[in-house]
């Protein structure tokens, strides 16, 4: 038998499993919504919508997921707006699901009504400011969470050194020297910032992990959460809006609007602001390494040579822009 790398569960069978595990009543509809870092299933039960996030085998340990859940409960108690986990019938929040590759863990979440904001056109700047305000309010509530020893610390190794090592394994011999030079220069710059703010971080506050309605802004998907640099955390928005934007006035206006909104609710120290151009590069290193580490599940057509070429063009362009403006 050929070993399985990643099982896609039958949605109907998973619905029946969810009915047994969680007190949500009869699930009348369920479907695989997406498979990316995690497999996410959308379930409808009792007139409500739920989201079952199933980790790939080996992606998160039960203790890592338990730390995430405890942080979410603390943030909610402090007034943070987020999609809460649903308790299991037998207590606790973490379900264990057998698969050919091994036992996988899952967490069921309440729905977060709303949609992504768009950051182009006449409403782009206002939406960026709105997103920044939501992140600022979330970080205020996150300040009640203590350091999480079970989760990876978001520091220089996490943001630059480890991603660079992953990337070097995938890049061509032609591109490796450029990546090494940029990563080394970036590490030297960031290690000189000794007063960066630290705290609990969502881990991936890109442009799509807060859902907005007319009255609410609800954060979702804390799967990459941890303790560490808030400057890295807030640079995720810039990472999201710059992938398809070159350096210049449009990107600058959106990033400025984001921070304008953020600082209405939460302050950043001068080094947090000064480090942003470097943190943007670190964000791109981190997310690209994350993609490449999981390309075996998603397919090389998405994260193969063409993707790496786009990444290197982006990295060189934004690195040169940062040097020019420094």
């Amino acid at each position: 038998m050929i070993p399985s790398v990643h099982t896609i569960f039958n949605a109907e069978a998973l619905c029946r499993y969810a009915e047994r595990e969680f007190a949500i009543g009869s699930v009348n509809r369920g479907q695989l919504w997406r498979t990316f870092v995690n497999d996410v299933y959308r379930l409808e039960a009792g007139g409500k919508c739920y989201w079952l996030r199933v980790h790939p085998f080996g992606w998160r340990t039960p203790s890592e997921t338990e730390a995430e859940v405890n942080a979410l409960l603390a943030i909610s108690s402090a007034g943070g707006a987020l999609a809460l986990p649903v308790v299991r019938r037998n207590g606790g929040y973490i379900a264990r699901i057998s698969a050919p590759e091994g036992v996988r863990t899952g967490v069921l979440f309440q729905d977060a009504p709303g949609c992504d904001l768009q950051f182009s056109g006449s409403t782009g700047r206002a939406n960026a400011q709105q997103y920044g305000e939501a992140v600022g309010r979330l970080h205020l509530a996150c300040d009640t969470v203590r350091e999480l020893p079970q989760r990876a610390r978001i520091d220089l190794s996490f943001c630059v050194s480890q991603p660079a090592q992953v990337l070097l394994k995938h890049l061509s011999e032609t591109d490796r020297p450029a990546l090494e030079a940029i990563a080394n220069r970036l590490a030297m710059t960031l290690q000189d910032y000794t007063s960066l703010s630290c705290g609990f971080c969502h881990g991936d506050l890109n442009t799509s992990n807060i859902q907005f309605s007319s009255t609410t802004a609800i954060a979702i998907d804390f799967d990459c959460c941890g303790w560490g640099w808030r400057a890295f955390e807030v640079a995720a928005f810039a990472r999201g809006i710059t992938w398809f934007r070159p350096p210049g006035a449009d990107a600058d206006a959106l990033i400025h609007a984001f921070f304008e909104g953020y600082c209405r609710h939460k302050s950043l120290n001068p080094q947090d602001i000064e480090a942003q151009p470097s943190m943007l590069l670190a964000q791109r290193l981190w997310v690209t390494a994350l993609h490449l580490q999981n390309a075996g599940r998603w397919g090389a057509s998405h994260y193969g040579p063409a993707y790496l070429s786009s990444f290197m063009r982006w990295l060189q362009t934004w690195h040169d822009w940062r040097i020019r403006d420094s």
Side-chain angles (χ1 to χ4, degrees), residues 182-242:
I182 290 174
N184 289 338
R185 193 175 298 120
L186 187 57
M188 291 177 61
T189 300
L190 291 177
Q191 68 186 5
D192 288 339
Y193 291 117
T194 58
S195 301
L196 294 170
S197 302
C198 288
F200 177 81
C201 297
H202 171 284
D204 192 18
L205 282 174
N206 55 40
T207 57
S208 61
N209 274 334
I210 300 179
Q211 296 295 288
F212 291 84
S213 69
S214 59
T215 58
T216 61
I218 301 177
I220 61 172
D221 193 7
F222 285 73
D223 181 53
C224 292
C225 69
W227 182 276
W229 287 340
R230 284 277 174 78
F232 180 76
E233 168 98 314
V234 295
F237 175 81
R239 183 248 296 173
I241 61 101
T242 58

Side-chain angles (χ1 to χ4, degrees), residues 111-142:
D111 190 29
C115 59
D116 295 345
L117 293 179
Q118 301 301 311
F119 302 100
S120 57
S122 60
T123 61
R125 193 177 185 283
N127 286 348
Q129 183 172 301
Q130 187 179 1
Y131 201 96
E133 289 197 46
V135 175
R137 291 194 297 267
L138 178 64
H139 277 174
L140 279 177
C142 286

Side-chain angles (χ1 to χ4, degrees), residues 226-262:
W227 182 276
W229 287 340
R230 284 277 174 78
F232 180 76
E233 168 98 314
V234 295
F237 175 81
R239 183 248 296 173
I241 61 101
T242 58
W243 183 236
F244 295 110
R245 283 184 179 85
D250 183 29
D252 285 350
L254 292 174
I255 295 169
H256 177 78
F258 169 86
F259 280 105
E260 189 176 69
Y262 182 93

Side-chain angles (χ1 to χ4, degrees), residues 4 14 16 30 35 50 81 96 118 129 134 143 146 152 160 169 175 182 191 210 214 230 280 289 298 307 317:
S4 170
L14 203 61
R16 306 290 78 81
T35 177
Y50 299 91
R96 290 167 174 79
Q118 301 301 311
Q129 183 172 301
D143 285 343
R146 297 180 179 179
V160 179
K169 295 176 183 178
D175 287 330
I182 290 174
Q191 68 186 5
I210 300 179
S214 59
R230 284 277 174 78
L280 169 58
W298 303 333
Y307 177 70
T317 297

Side-chain angles (χ1 to χ4, degrees), residues 295-306:
R297 288 195 289 116
W298 303 333
S301 64
H302 294 290
Y303 298 107

